[in-house]
Amino acid sequence: MPVAKIYSYAEVKSAIDIANDHYYKQLLRVRSDVSNDDFGTAKVKNFQQTGSLGWTGKGSDVGHSNRHLKGAPELGKSTYATELDMVNCTLALLNSSAGQKSPQNLDTANPTGESDPDANRAIEQPVGGDWYGFPRGGTTKTKIKTAHCDIMKLGENTLWVHTTWPATFVT
């Protein structure tokens, strides 16, 4: 099953949770020639293994939607007020007609899921609903106008929401 589909709340939450604080390269394929400690280093030697389960040496960034959540933000980042706001905004992005093009592009370009992390598929557009967050440096909860998410693909049918954040707010 491809990643281009209509998503449920639980599926989007799972796609966000998989990425939070996890390295894409560790989840892309199991690699037997390095230890877990090796994956923590800045550069892992590119090893090309043959066969359908071979690791291609791609993927190095950690997913981080949690950095855009109230209570755990990094300075200078806009945040969602709650996890419910974060998941629902991302759900709205993915299930929109424009948002469905990004997963379709992933399925076409990378049917097996091996994706270049520098080729994230970004979705940014208005979101409906009463979802709230905080602008960069803001302390007043404000209704979200547009949101942004970057997605990638793990394997043939697992969506990875690398990050998501509120982009603009109703003024």
Side-chain angles (χ1 to χ4, degrees):
M1 177 187 231
V3 294
K5 66 178 197 164
I6 299 300
Y7 284 89
S8 70
Y9 179 92
E11 290 169 325
V12 172
K13 184 172 179 342
S14 175
I16 291 170
D17 289 347
I18 287 171
N20 275 337
D21 292 326
H22 289 89
Y23 285 93
Y24 180 72
K25 66 182 174 184
Q26 288 176 307
L27 299 173
L28 184 61
R29 295 274 193 227
V30 174
R31 188 170 171 188
S32 61
D33 68 313
V34 294
S35 71
N36 285 339
D37 290 336
D38 293 332
F39 273 110
T41 62
K43 196 78 170 161
V44 175
K45 182 181 175 190
N46 236 358
F47 172 76
Q48 298 294 324
Q49 184 178 356
T50 59
S52 62
L53 296 179
W55 188 77
T56 64
K58 297 177 182 174
S60 62
D61 202 6
V62 66
H64 63 268
S65 297
N66 58 350
R67 296 181 195 167
H68 296 278
L69 188 59
K70 178 78 172 148
E74 290 184 8
L75 291 176
K77 294 188 181 287
S78 62
T79 59
Y80 291 104
T82 66
E83 184 178 66
L84 181 69
D85 293 308
M86 176 174 61
V87 176
N88 277 311
C89 281
T90 307
L91 177 68
L93 290 173
L94 287 168
N95 286 344
S96 69
S97 58
Q100 281 290 297
K101 291 178 184 172
S102 291
Q104 289 169 357
N105 290 343
L106 285 175
D107 288 333
T108 301
N110 303 295
T112 62
E114 303 214 13
S115 175
D116 182 347
D118 294 327
N120 287 350
R121 304 301 192 256
I123 305 167
E124 184 170 317
Q125 64 180 41
V127 292
D130 292 328
W131 312 119
Y132 292 87
F134 299 88
R136 288 183 191 138
T139 57
T140 303
K141 187 163 63 170
T142 308
K143 186 173 178 179
I144 298 167
K145 183 176 180 180
T146 63
H148 178 104
C149 73
D150 292 327
I151 62 170
M152 292 191 279
K153 185 176 174 179
L154 288 170
E156 294 177 7
N157 59 7
T158 303
L159 185 71
W160 159 283
V161 176
H162 172 74
T163 190
T164 181
W165 68 82
T168 63
F169 296 84
V170 174
T171 55

